[in-house]
PDB file of all heavy atoms in Angstrom:
ATOM      1  N   MET A  41     -14.578  -8.685   2.669  1.00  0.00           N
ATOM      2  CA  MET A  41     -14.018  -7.617   1.820  1.00  0.00           C
ATOM      3  C   MET A  41     -13.349  -6.540   2.669  1.00  0.00           C
ATOM      4  O   MET A  41     -12.236  -6.093   2.384  1.00  0.00           O
ATOM      5  CB  MET A  41     -15.130  -6.973   0.981  1.00  0.00           C
ATOM      6  CG  MET A  41     -15.637  -7.854  -0.139  1.00  0.00           C
ATOM      7  SD  MET A  41     -17.201  -7.239  -0.810  1.00  0.00           S
ATOM      8  CE  MET A  41     -16.766  -5.582  -1.272  1.00  0.00           C
ATOM      9  N   LEU A  42     -14.053  -6.131   3.729  1.00  0.00           N
ATOM     10  CA  LEU A  42     -13.517  -5.068   4.583  1.00  0.00           C
ATOM     11  C   LEU A  42     -12.217  -5.521   5.255  1.00  0.00           C
ATOM     12  O   LEU A  42     -11.224  -4.780   5.269  1.00  0.00           O
ATOM     13  CB  LEU A  42     -14.567  -4.696   5.642  1.00  0.00           C
ATOM     14  CG  LEU A  42     -14.156  -3.624   6.643  1.00  0.00           C
ATOM     15  CD1 LEU A  42     -14.054  -2.262   5.961  1.00  0.00           C
ATOM     16  CD2 LEU A  42     -15.169  -3.535   7.794  1.00  0.00           C
ATOM     17  N   HIS A  43     -12.207  -6.742   5.792  1.00  0.00           N
ATOM     18  CA  HIS A  43     -11.002  -7.231   6.475  1.00  0.00           C
ATOM     19  C   HIS A  43      -9.848  -7.394   5.489  1.00  0.00           C
ATOM     20  O   HIS A  43      -8.698  -7.093   5.821  1.00  0.00           O
ATOM     21  CB  HIS A  43     -11.301  -8.556   7.185  1.00  0.00           C
ATOM     22  CG  HIS A  43     -12.208  -8.378   8.382  1.00  0.00           C
ATOM     23  ND1 HIS A  43     -12.593  -9.403   9.197  1.00  0.00           N
ATOM     24  CD2 HIS A  43     -12.812  -7.272   8.894  1.00  0.00           C
ATOM     25  CE1 HIS A  43     -13.398  -8.945  10.161  1.00  0.00           C
ATOM     26  NE2 HIS A  43     -13.538  -7.658   9.982  1.00  0.00           N
ATOM     27  N   THR A  44     -10.170  -7.842   4.278  1.00  0.00           N
ATOM     28  CA  THR A  44      -9.104  -7.992   3.261  1.00  0.00           C
ATOM     29  C   THR A  44      -8.501  -6.625   2.955  1.00  0.00           C
ATOM     30  O   THR A  44      -7.279  -6.479   2.820  1.00  0.00           O
ATOM     31  CB  THR A  44      -9.692  -8.622   1.972  1.00  0.00           C
ATOM     32  OG1 THR A  44     -10.267  -9.870   2.310  1.00  0.00           O
ATOM     33  CG2 THR A  44      -8.618  -8.817   0.906  1.00  0.00           C
ATOM     34  N   ALA A  45      -9.372  -5.617   2.834  1.00  0.00           N
ATOM     35  CA  ALA A  45      -8.881  -4.260   2.537  1.00  0.00           C
ATOM     36  C   ALA A  45      -7.986  -3.760   3.666  1.00  0.00           C
ATOM     37  O   ALA A  45      -6.877  -3.246   3.424  1.00  0.00           O
ATOM     38  CB  ALA A  45     -10.062  -3.312   2.328  1.00  0.00           C
ATOM     39  N   ILE A  46      -8.430  -3.941   4.921  1.00  0.00           N
ATOM     40  CA  ILE A  46      -7.641  -3.423   6.052  1.00  0.00           C
ATOM     41  C   ILE A  46      -6.351  -4.233   6.192  1.00  0.00           C
ATOM     42  O   ILE A  46      -5.267  -3.668   6.382  1.00  0.00           O
ATOM     43  CB  ILE A  46      -8.482  -3.436   7.350  1.00  0.00           C
ATOM     44  CG1 ILE A  46      -9.696  -2.496   7.181  1.00  0.00           C
ATOM     45  CG2 ILE A  46      -7.637  -3.000   8.545  1.00  0.00           C
ATOM     46  CD1 ILE A  46     -10.712  -2.553   8.310  1.00  0.00           C
ATOM     47  N   ASP A  47      -6.438  -5.546   6.045  1.00  0.00           N
ATOM     48  CA  ASP A  47      -5.220  -6.362   6.108  1.00  0.00           C
ATOM     49  C   ASP A  47      -4.263  -5.984   4.978  1.00  0.00           C
ATOM     50  O   ASP A  47      -3.053  -6.157   5.094  1.00  0.00           O
ATOM     51  CB  ASP A  47      -5.564  -7.866   6.035  1.00  0.00           C
ATOM     52  CG  ASP A  47      -6.300  -8.341   7.292  1.00  0.00           C
ATOM     53  OD1 ASP A  47      -6.191  -7.650   8.330  1.00  0.00           O
ATOM     54  OD2 ASP A  47      -6.992  -9.378   7.229  1.00  0.00           O
ATOM     55  N   GLY A  48      -4.813  -5.448   3.884  1.00  0.00           N
ATOM     56  CA  GLY A  48      -3.982  -5.017   2.752  1.00  0.00           C
ATOM     57  C   GLY A  48      -3.476  -3.586   2.908  1.00  0.00           C
ATOM     58  O   GLY A  48      -2.873  -3.049   1.976  1.00  0.00           O
ATOM     59  N   GLY A  49      -3.757  -2.959   4.038  1.00  0.00           N
ATOM     60  CA  GLY A  49      -3.172  -1.646   4.318  1.00  0.00           C
ATOM     61  C   GLY A  49      -4.139  -0.474   4.266  1.00  0.00           C
ATOM     62  O   GLY A  49      -3.737   0.660   4.545  1.00  0.00           O
ATOM     63  N   VAL A  50      -5.403  -0.721   3.916  1.00  0.00           N
ATOM     64  CA  VAL A  50      -6.376   0.393   3.898  1.00  0.00           C
ATOM     65  C   VAL A  50      -6.587   0.896   5.329  1.00  0.00           C
ATOM     66  O   VAL A  50      -6.825   0.096   6.245  1.00  0.00           O
ATOM     67  CB  VAL A  50      -7.721  -0.084   3.289  1.00  0.00           C
ATOM     68  CG1 VAL A  50      -8.846   0.908   3.582  1.00  0.00           C
ATOM     69  CG2 VAL A  50      -7.574  -0.291   1.787  1.00  0.00           C
ATOM     70  N   ASN A  51      -6.488   2.216   5.522  1.00  0.00           N
ATOM     71  CA  ASN A  51      -6.687   2.757   6.878  1.00  0.00           C
ATOM     72  C   ASN A  51      -7.740   3.864   6.903  1.00  0.00           C
ATOM     73  O   ASN A  51      -7.759   4.675   7.834  1.00  0.00           O
ATOM     74  CB  ASN A  51      -5.366   3.227   7.489  1.00  0.00           C
ATOM     75  CG  ASN A  51      -4.763   4.431   6.761  1.00  0.00           C
ATOM     76  OD1 ASN A  51      -5.358   4.965   5.828  1.00  0.00           O
ATOM     77  ND2 ASN A  51      -3.582   4.862   7.185  1.00  0.00           N
ATOM     78  N   TYR A  52      -8.612   3.921   5.878  1.00  0.00           N
ATOM     79  CA  TYR A  52      -9.671   4.933   5.839  1.00  0.00           C
ATOM     80  C   TYR A  52     -10.956   4.249   5.390  1.00  0.00           C
ATOM     81  O   TYR A  52     -11.002   3.636   4.318  1.00  0.00           O
ATOM     82  CB  TYR A  52      -9.287   6.037   4.849  1.00  0.00           C
ATOM     83  CG  TYR A  52     -10.192   7.257   4.894  1.00  0.00           C
ATOM     84  CD1 TYR A  52      -9.782   8.430   5.533  1.00  0.00           C
ATOM     85  CD2 TYR A  52     -11.452   7.252   4.296  1.00  0.00           C
ATOM     86  CE1 TYR A  52     -10.607   9.559   5.572  1.00  0.00           C
ATOM     87  CE2 TYR A  52     -12.275   8.363   4.334  1.00  0.00           C
ATOM     88  CZ  TYR A  52     -11.851   9.516   4.974  1.00  0.00           C
ATOM     89  OH  TYR A  52     -12.661  10.624   5.014  1.00  0.00           O
ATOM     90  N   VAL A  53     -11.986   4.354   6.226  1.00  0.00           N
ATOM     91  CA  VAL A  53     -13.283   3.729   5.914  1.00  0.00           C
ATOM     92  C   VAL A  53     -14.351   4.816   5.933  1.00  0.00           C
ATOM     93  O   VAL A  53     -14.439   5.593   6.884  1.00  0.00           O
ATOM     94  CB  VAL A  53     -13.613   2.614   6.939  1.00  0.00           C
ATOM     95  CG1 VAL A  53     -15.002   2.041   6.672  1.00  0.00           C
ATOM     96  CG2 VAL A  53     -12.563   1.514   6.892  1.00  0.00           C
ATOM     97  N   ASP A  54     -15.139   4.866   4.853  1.00  0.00           N
ATOM     98  CA  ASP A  54     -16.132   5.929   4.677  1.00  0.00           C
ATOM     99  C   ASP A  54     -17.543   5.362   4.658  1.00  0.00           C
ATOM    100  O   ASP A  54     -17.838   4.412   3.925  1.00  0.00           O
ATOM    101  CB  ASP A  54     -15.860   6.633   3.334  1.00  0.00           C
ATOM    102  CG  ASP A  54     -16.930   7.649   2.991  1.00  0.00           C
ATOM    103  OD1 ASP A  54     -16.820   8.786   3.480  1.00  0.00           O
ATOM    104  OD2 ASP A  54     -17.866   7.317   2.230  1.00  0.00           O
ATOM    105  N   THR A  55     -18.404   5.952   5.475  1.00  0.00           N
ATOM    106  CA  THR A  55     -19.810   5.575   5.411  1.00  0.00           C
ATOM    107  C   THR A  55     -20.663   6.831   5.594  1.00  0.00           C
ATOM    108  O   THR A  55     -20.146   7.941   5.567  1.00  0.00           O
ATOM    109  CB  THR A  55     -20.154   4.479   6.458  1.00  0.00           C
ATOM    110  OG1 THR A  55     -21.518   4.090   6.289  1.00  0.00           O
ATOM    111  CG2 THR A  55     -19.946   4.957   7.883  1.00  0.00           C
ATOM    112  N   ALA A  56     -21.963   6.641   5.736  1.00  0.00           N
ATOM    113  CA  ALA A  56     -22.869   7.779   5.938  1.00  0.00           C
ATOM    114  C   ALA A  56     -24.149   7.240   6.560  1.00  0.00           C
ATOM    115  O   ALA A  56     -24.455   6.037   6.459  1.00  0.00           O
ATOM    116  CB  ALA A  56     -23.184   8.474   4.610  1.00  0.00           C
ATOM    117  N   TYR A  57     -24.897   8.155   7.178  1.00  0.00           N
ATOM    118  CA  TYR A  57     -26.147   7.788   7.856  1.00  0.00           C
ATOM    119  C   TYR A  57     -27.068   6.996   6.931  1.00  0.00           C
ATOM    120  O   TYR A  57     -27.676   6.018   7.328  1.00  0.00           O
ATOM    121  CB  TYR A  57     -26.842   9.073   8.311  1.00  0.00           C
ATOM    122  CG  TYR A  57     -28.091   8.861   9.116  1.00  0.00           C
ATOM    123  CD1 TYR A  57     -28.019   8.667  10.502  1.00  0.00           C
ATOM    124  CD2 TYR A  57     -29.341   8.870   8.508  1.00  0.00           C
ATOM    125  CE1 TYR A  57     -29.175   8.486  11.248  1.00  0.00           C
ATOM    126  CE2 TYR A  57     -30.504   8.683   9.255  1.00  0.00           C
ATOM    127  CZ  TYR A  57     -30.412   8.493  10.614  1.00  0.00           C
ATOM    128  OH  TYR A  57     -31.552   8.309  11.362  1.00  0.00           O
ATOM    129  N   GLY A  58     -27.129   7.418   5.659  1.00  0.00           N
ATOM    130  CA  GLY A  58     -28.164   6.853   4.784  1.00  0.00           C
ATOM    131  C   GLY A  58     -27.725   5.685   3.909  1.00  0.00           C
ATOM    132  O   GLY A  58     -28.584   5.065   3.269  1.00  0.00           O
ATOM    133  N   TYR A  59     -26.430   5.363   3.872  1.00  0.00           N
ATOM    134  CA  TYR A  59     -26.009   4.302   2.941  1.00  0.00           C
ATOM    135  C   TYR A  59     -26.698   2.983   3.280  1.00  0.00           C
ATOM    136  O   TYR A  59     -26.869   2.635   4.445  1.00  0.00           O
ATOM    137  CB  TYR A  59     -24.490   4.092   3.006  1.00  0.00           C
ATOM    138  CG  TYR A  59     -23.653   5.223   2.439  1.00  0.00           C
ATOM    139  CD1 TYR A  59     -22.271   5.204   2.566  1.00  0.00           C
ATOM    140  CD2 TYR A  59     -24.222   6.300   1.765  1.00  0.00           C
ATOM    141  CE1 TYR A  59     -21.478   6.225   2.051  1.00  0.00           C
ATOM    142  CE2 TYR A  59     -23.458   7.320   1.247  1.00  0.00           C
ATOM    143  CZ  TYR A  59     -22.087   7.285   1.399  1.00  0.00           C
ATOM    144  OH  TYR A  59     -21.312   8.293   0.899  1.00  0.00           O
ATOM    145  N   HIS A  60     -27.005   2.231   2.227  1.00  0.00           N
ATOM    146  CA  HIS A  60     -27.689   0.934   2.367  1.00  0.00           C
ATOM    147  C   HIS A  60     -28.957   1.082   3.214  1.00  0.00           C
ATOM    148  O   HIS A  60     -29.196   0.299   4.148  1.00  0.00           O
ATOM    149  CB  HIS A  60     -26.745  -0.121   2.962  1.00  0.00           C
ATOM    150  CG  HIS A  60     -25.777  -0.663   1.942  1.00  0.00           C
ATOM    151  ND1 HIS A  60     -26.138  -1.609   1.021  1.00  0.00           N
ATOM    152  CD2 HIS A  60     -24.493  -0.330   1.691  1.00  0.00           C
ATOM    153  CE1 HIS A  60     -25.093  -1.867   0.237  1.00  0.00           C
ATOM    154  NE2 HIS A  60     -24.084  -1.095   0.618  1.00  0.00           N
ATOM    155  N   GLY A  61     -29.736   2.112   2.890  1.00  0.00           N
ATOM    156  CA  GLY A  61     -30.995   2.324   3.601  1.00  0.00           C
ATOM    157  C   GLY A  61     -30.800   2.450   5.104  1.00  0.00           C
ATOM    158  O   GLY A  61     -31.671   2.055   5.881  1.00  0.00           O
TER     159      GLY A  61
END
Side-chain angles (χ1 to χ4, degrees):
M41 288 165 56
L42 178 70
H43 290 182
T44 302
I46 297 172
D47 292 339
V50 165
N51 66 3
Y52 190 103
V53 176
D54 174 84
T55 184
Y57 184 86
Y59 290 173
H60 282 281

